[in-house]
Amino acid sequence: MPAPRTVLLTGAAGGLGTLMRNLLPAFGYDLRLFDLRPIDGEPDAVVADLADRDAVREAVRGVDAIVHLAGISLEASFEKILKANIEGTYHVYEAAREEGVGRIVFASSNHALGWTPRPQGDDPLIPVDAPRRPDTFYGLSKSFGEDLAQFYWDKHGIETVSVRIGSCFPEPTSVRMLSVWMSPADGARLFHAALTAEDVGHTVVYGSSANTRLWWDLSTARALGYEPCDDSEPYAAKLIAEQGELDPENPAHARLGGHFVTDPPIWPY
Ligand code: NAI
Ligand code: 15L
């Protein structure tokens, strides 16, 4: 596959989309932006709903690859998740098939396995082939997205890297995040690796920095050429002083998904 140059970035108005639209061009990409919401200073961005199949198909036309971030990024009612994350992601894959786009980077989430107990003590890192155990309807939609990616590879030859993102924010803001944080710069490195690695078929990777307190195995991400440069450890002393160490007796501290495991499942959206 020739290295992609023109990349559709869905969810470009969101938190991660904003970080990536600032960081990815340095790797040589021309980004086409897509979101429900307009983006200040980006008059060429496509403002459309993933529910609009024609708009999605038109947005996909002529791009070399897609970074699919758009969707509901927290828990919500099943009906909302169904429309934005499940049907919306299906529309992206159908558009890719119809328009001959061969590579998608899918923003999966740690919440596809959020119910999995987090490693404690000398427990091994969580492997990429650990059974999926979603913690929310949101996590279920990410699990569906990974299956959709596998299906479109097996049946239609569209390659995907499903990135089970931990927490990609400018800084870690909780003790849990010390384990799952992905710095924005490492996020851009990982998306670049996912866009350019050869012969990925459908590859699932965890998305985080090289954190001292890492919970999962980054080997499939490294096999794509990803070399994380950051570690959350410099933030540890302050966060632990403020919040205390994770308490294994607290359900929100005992599983990968943190507060997604215990919060009321329907947040206002
Ligand atoms: P966000 O909520 O800030 O951004 C999502 C964007 O998608 C928003 O700009 C929203 O307008 C857009 N969107 C929602 N529904 C849409 C629809 N029907 N049609 C078109 N656009 C729509 O979320 P964030 O943090 O930027 O996350 C981006 C993606 O990465 C999401 O898929 C999220 O599930 C995933 N992810 C993010 C993590 C993180 O740490 N930021 C962690 C794990 C996964
Ligand atoms: C996610 O999947 C969410 O989209 C993001 O907002 C964070 O909550 C992240 O997971 C996390 O687990 O910290």
Side-chain angles (χ1 to χ4, degrees):
M1 184 189 90
R5 180 163 175 76
T6 309
V7 173
L8 178 70
L9 181 69
T10 74
L16 188 53
T18 299
L19 293 166
M20 291 307 127
R21 83 182 131 85
N22 289 326
L23 291 167
L24 285 176
F27 291 87
Y29 300 110
D30 288 330
L31 298 180
R32 185 180 297 171
L33 310 178
F34 180 103
D35 204 287
L36 255 184
R37 300 181 285 153
I39 305 172
D40 277 351
E42 298 286 357
D44 295 334
V46 180
V47 180
D49 194 322
L50 290 171
D52 181 346
R53 286 187 70 157
D54 292 339
V56 175
R57 183 166 178 181
E58 197 176 320
V60 159
R61 190 166 301 140
V63 301
D64 301 318
I66 301 169
V67 174
H68 178 45
L69 306 182
I72 294 176
S73 60
L74 296 169
E75 183 60 318
S77 69
F78 182 74
E79 290 70 22
K80 287 181 179 172
I81 294 279
L82 177 64
K83 199 156 182 55
N85 291 17
I86 295 181
E87 291 180 4
T89 301
Y90 160 69
H91 292 164
V92 170
Y93 274 86
E94 267 302 280
R97 185 187 65 76
E98 289 165 342
E99 295 297 331
V101 179
R103 175 72 59 95
I104 296 178
V105 179
F106 169 58
S108 184
S109 170
N110 68 89
H111 298 287
L113 304 84
W115 207 260
T116 307
R118 66 159 171 99
Q120 303 196 32
D122 293 333
D123 290 350
L125 296 176
I126 295 168
V128 94
D129 59 359
R132 282 185 239 137
R133 298 180 69 183
D135 55 22
T136 41
F137 294 134
Y138 165 71
L140 268 170
S141 75
K142 296 301 182 179
S143 183
F144 171 83
E146 292 187 13
D147 282 337
L148 196 69
Q150 183 67 46
F151 170 79
Y152 273 85
W153 165 241
D154 289 336
K155 196 146 190 184
H156 301 297
I158 296 175
E159 293 190 304
T160 296
V161 177
S162 291
V163 183
R164 291 177 180 159
I165 304 168
S167 302
C168 189
F169 299 99
E171 290 186 2
T173 55
S174 70
V175 175
R176 169 181 171 270
M177 272 199 209
L178 295 173
S179 297
V180 303
W181 183 58
M182 179 161 72
S183 72
D186 278 342
R189 287 182 193 101
L190 179 50
F191 286 133
H192 175 56
L195 284 166
T196 51
E198 300 275 345
D199 300 327
V200 299
H202 176 222
T203 298
V204 180
V205 305
Y206 291 107
S208 68
S209 289
N211 301 318
T212 301
R213 295 160 198 258
L214 196 64
W215 286 344
W216 47 55
D217 175 15
L218 287 179
S219 60
T220 57
R222 289 184 188 277
L224 300 177
Y226 171 55
E227 281 300 333
C229 296
D230 295 317
D231 182 341
S232 61
E233 205 54 20
Y235 301 93
K238 182 170 178 283
L239 286 168
I240 292 167
E242 287 167 0
Q243 301 173 14
E245 293 277 6
L246 293 181
D247 171 7
E249 301 304 317
N250 179 340
H253 294 184
R255 298 182 189 273
L256 277 195
H259 65 274
F260 280 56
V261 170
T262 54
D263 263 0
I266 312 289
W267 289 321
Y269 205 84

